[in-house]
Amino acid sequence: MPTPTKGPRLGGSPSHERLMLANLATSLFEHGKITTTEAKAKRVRPLAEKLITKAKRGDLHNRREIMRTIRNKDVVHKLMAEIGPFYEDRNGGYVRITKTMPRKGDNAPMAVIELVSEKTATAEAEAARKTKFAKDQPKPAEAEAKAEETAEASDAVETTGETGEAPADQDAEAPVSATDQATAEPAEGGDPEAEAEKPAEDKKDES
Amino acid sequence: MAVPKRKMSRSNTRSRRAQWKARPVQLVPCQNRACKQLKPQHIACPTCGQYGGRQVVEPA
């Protein structure tokens, strides 16, 4: 069971706190990076991460669950279409808080809270290697389904899985890497910086 | 209700207040080798705006 939040609610009442956190999360997903007080940043992080987890699942039920918190449909669409798929290979820790200098005026400790825009080191290594470790391979059923798509490469998948170094597999290596690349690239399509793949949707969001 | 029996002397008051001292803020040089300005710990550098090798805020 999660520990209940200690101390008074932000803004005075539970409903006020819910609204403030929802607005902060909305701004965070809209802009990707917001500056706020440290206390608010610490409170909004669990909420934002739970919303991203829901967005990663990406079905209608989870979309409705997100709509309960985030009332802006444009932001919900961005969350489901871009932010969720981008974090496909990251298990939690989607949001980073960095402390900054205290605010002028009331000396409140401030922080910058942002969506992590980098891929994980393992994801980048896999993208560079264009293969996966055996333990990270998808379930055999999925692997076979992929293999059937590339009917010739089905044997090559198994052989490279067992003996990756064998020079005889050099020809067979190419189709494997091609399939892996095909699976890896849609995940990168969600990258906020590399949005070239779906400019039409982006324009819809901004308008 | 318990109340003081005697007025506190000026000397005692001032001796107590003499212990109220401001401490210098602990500063460390910025990790960014191009910057190296002093800054509070665990805080994005206000001079170059970097923290942990990452640009966090716009430099002032």
Side-chain angles (χ1 to χ4, degrees):
Chain A
M1 184 184 160
T3 329
T5 314
K6 283 189 181 169
R9 303 285 89 86
L10 299 174
S13 69
S15 55
H16 192 184
E17 176 175 83
R18 276 199 299 276
L19 287 167
M20 286 171 84
L21 292 180
N23 288 339
L24 280 169
T26 308
S27 302
L28 174 63
F29 294 135
E30 191 179 348
H31 300 286
K33 178 178 188 175
I34 55 174
T35 307
T36 180
T37 61
E38 202 184 310
K40 282 179 191 158
K42 281 182 175 176
R43 293 279 187 92
V44 79
R45 174 160 69 174
L47 177 71
E49 301 222 345
K50 276 164 196 154
L51 290 173
I52 292 176
T53 306
K54 290 197 174 92
K56 278 170 80 175
R57 293 194 194 117
D59 54 3
L60 181 61
H61 170 64
N62 282 297
R63 181 182 289 268
R64 286 179 177 154
E65 288 278 310
I66 293 171
M67 294 285 282
R68 291 172 66 191
T69 304
I70 295 182
R71 303 178 299 281
N72 185 341
K73 283 191 179 174
D74 292 341
V75 175
V76 173
H77 176 265
K78 187 181 173 195
L79 185 58
M80 301 287 283
E82 293 172 25
I83 299 173
F86 177 72
Y87 290 124
E88 206 51 60
D89 45 16
R90 184 182 285 275
N91 302 318
Y94 315 115
V95 174
R96 177 188 295 132
I97 296 177
T98 314
K99 291 170 197 166
T100 54
M101 288 297 276
R103 179 160 60 191
K104 194 173 269 188
D106 63 355
N107 204 29
M110 298 297 279
V112 170
I113 179 167
E114 60 187 325
L115 299 172
V116 175
S117 58
E118 295 91 4
K119 285 291 191 182
T120 56
T122 50
E124 277 185 0
E126 273 169 11
R129 207 167 57 237
K130 293 178 177 156
T131 55
K132 286 187 170 186
F133 288 122
K135 64 179 173 63
D136 301 331
Q137 286 284 5
K139 296 275 182 289
E142 293 172 33
E144 278 177 81
K146 267 181 206 166
E148 279 166 16
E149 289 166 23
T150 58
E152 310 143 8
S154 60
D155 292 340
V157 171
E158 286 160 20
T159 49
T160 48
E162 289 161 14
T163 58
E165 295 173 4
D169 286 341
Q170 284 292 1
D171 325 328
E173 201 97 23
V176 175
S177 63
T179 53
D180 275 342
Q181 208 169 12
T183 54
E185 271 178 7
E188 285 178 336
D191 190 336
E193 290 158 9
E195 284 170 354
E197 290 192 11
K198 26 185 173 177
E201 286 178 1
D202 293 350
K203 275 168 193 164
K204 214 183 289 170
D205 281 342
E206 284 163 11
S207 62
Chain B
M1 196 178 85
V3 288
K5 192 168 190 177
R6 296 272 175 202
K7 174 180 178 171
M8 199 178 199
S9 70
R10 232 180 333 187
S11 160
N12 268 342
T13 302
R14 286 174 183 172
S15 305
R16 187 182 72 250
R17 288 186 187 162
Q19 301 304 316
W20 300 357
K21 290 167 196 160
R23 289 232 162 70
V25 184
Q26 194 186 2
L27 299 175
V28 291
C30 178
Q31 292 290 307
N32 179 12
R33 291 200 189 129
C35 175
K36 287 198 170 170
Q37 293 290 311
L38 291 177
K39 69 176 188 69
Q41 276 184 315
H42 310 301
I43 278 190
C45 177
T47 317
C48 63
Q50 287 194 6
Y51 188 75
R54 190 175 285 122
Q55 193 71 28
V56 179
V57 289
E58 286 300 307

